[in-house]
Amino acid sequence: MAARIIDGKAIAARVREDVARDVAAFSAQTGRRPGLATILVGDDPASAVYVAGKQKAGAEVGIAAFDHRLPADAAEDEVAELIARLNADDDVSGILCQLPVPAHMDGVKLTGMIAPGKDVDGLTPVSAGLLALGREGLRPCTPVGVMLLLTEAGVELEGAEAVVIGRSNLFGKPMAQLLLGANATVTTCHSRTRDLPAVCRRADVLIAAVGRSEMVRGDWVKPGAVVIDVGMNRTEAGLTGDVAFAEVAEVASALTPVPGGVGPMTIACLLRNTFQAATMAAAGRVAA
Ligand code: NAP
């Protein structure tokens, strides 16, 4: 069997077009633009590239950029004060504090100070709680991106066996919650899972977010399963996923590539979240 390749690049481009159209309509109606504030502390080159990419993508869909940079030796209080100012600023719809922050700061604590209605990364305790309770709120970008990929690929989740490898707060846990919300039967695996290949072989939908190059082999996959590869591993052979692509493509019915699968969806969903935050604020709805 040769799996169908789920083209994340094309789907992300469509999401961005949708956001651009929605932003234009919102701006025409309200006279306001959604705004995305980014906070970058320190001079980590990779983080600077990520932030620049997010701001550029925002500008392309009509989202205003508020770019805040602090030196690596800034005090944690300075970042906290900036977040408080941005929380109170009506021009700012969404706030993103690029992680990791320097070692003398607590990134989880700082992220938690972002107002839930502006938490476009969906990583605050309030956003995590709203997701767990199935209430309206902003969801983490990468798991939302995976849900959009599954929808676009026409994957039926209701009653399906979904297996997520990885239980991080950033991806694995919110992914499992979103799948549960879509009525899948969900198993979350991690480094202590016994006989991981056997658990994976149960999956109709298998999602790998581990950070180990090509760990998921062809014989871990049930024939006809849909496989989503979230992994991004920089190896000597270049960027690889957590899935052994060639082997799994022989067994799965559909599969995301790396690069060009989940990766492009993350920024597209950040833009979508920023628009959602702006509309929630304009309608006076508070995430709670
Ligand atoms: P993480 O915080 O390091 O979590 C990795 C998870 O994998 C943990 O739950 C860990 O289990 C589990 N794990 C590690 N070794 C394992 C093994 N041998 N068998 C089974 N489970 C194992 O990573 P993350 O932030 O979730 O990211 C995971 C991957 O996704 C990375 O490659 C990252 O670059 C990628 N990613 C991509 C995007 C994107 O935009 N495309 C976004 C987010 C993440 P324990 O909990 O037991 O340690």
Side-chain angles (χ1 to χ4, degrees):
M1 182 188 302
R4 178 163 55 100
I5 305 305
I6 301 173
D7 185 347
K9 219 169 150 188
I11 296 170
R14 286 207 291 280
V15 172
R16 288 181 189 219
E17 279 167 24
D18 288 349
V19 174
R21 200 194 48 234
D22 290 345
V23 165
F26 174 85
S27 299
Q29 205 180 359
T30 63
R32 305 181 72 107
R33 284 170 77 190
L36 174 63
T38 50
I39 302 172
L40 177 62
V41 189
D43 41 25
D44 177 53
S47 292
V49 169
Y50 291 144
V51 167
K54 290 167 185 175
Q55 294 287 13
K56 181 169 169 280
E60 283 167 8
V61 298
I63 290 173
F66 303 96
D67 188 9
H68 295 273
R69 287 164 193 246
L70 289 94
D73 61 357
E76 193 177 71
D77 280 354
E78 286 179 64
V79 185
E81 281 162 23
L82 173 59
I83 292 172
R85 273 207 312 280
L86 296 172
N87 280 342
D89 185 340
D90 286 343
D91 290 333
V92 173
S93 321
I95 305 169
L96 181 157
C97 183
Q98 184 68 40
L99 299 175
V101 288
H104 66 283
M105 294 182 189
D106 181 341
V108 174
K109 181 174 141 201
L110 287 170
T111 303
M113 291 174 181
I114 295 171
K118 297 190 179 192
D119 175 24
V120 284
D121 261 343
L123 295 177
T124 63
V126 173
S127 295
L130 293 170
L131 171 58
L133 294 174
R135 308 266 305 244
E136 182 181 29
L138 294 161
R139 312 301 195 213
C141 302
T142 308
V144 168
V146 170
M147 291 301 282
L148 290 177
L149 286 179
L150 292 169
T151 304
E152 288 284 324
V155 177
E156 177 63 71
L157 289 172
E158 179 137 350
E161 289 275 351
V163 172
V164 181
I165 321 176
R167 58 173 164 181
S168 67
N169 293 330
L170 180 71
F171 183 81
K173 283 180 194 159
M175 186 72 250
Q177 298 276 3
L178 289 171
L179 291 164
L180 200 55
N183 296 322
T185 301
V186 185
T187 304
T188 305
C189 301
H190 44 78
S191 64
R192 317 289 167 88
T193 297
R194 272 191 224 129
D195 200 353
L196 182 61
V199 180
C200 292
R201 273 192 290 272
R202 296 206 308 252
D204 301 309
V205 177
L206 177 61
I207 301 176
V210 183
R212 286 181 178 238
S213 181
E214 303 190 342
M215 185 180 87
V216 175
R217 311 307 309 188
D219 62 359
W220 293 27
V221 175
K222 177 159 98 176
V226 174
V227 180
I228 305 289
D229 190 351
V230 183
M232 289 202 311
N233 308 296
R234 292 186 197 286
T235 68
E236 281 176 8
L239 189 67
T240 64
D242 291 342
V243 173
F245 185 87
E247 279 178 29
V248 171
E250 291 299 312
V251 188
S253 63
L255 172 64
T256 57
V258 176
V262 174
M265 296 301 291
T266 299
I267 287 189
C269 290
L270 173 70
L271 306 178
R272 207 168 169 263
N273 275 357
T274 306
F275 174 70
Q276 185 189 339
T279 51
M280 280 165 58
R285 296 206 306 279
V286 179

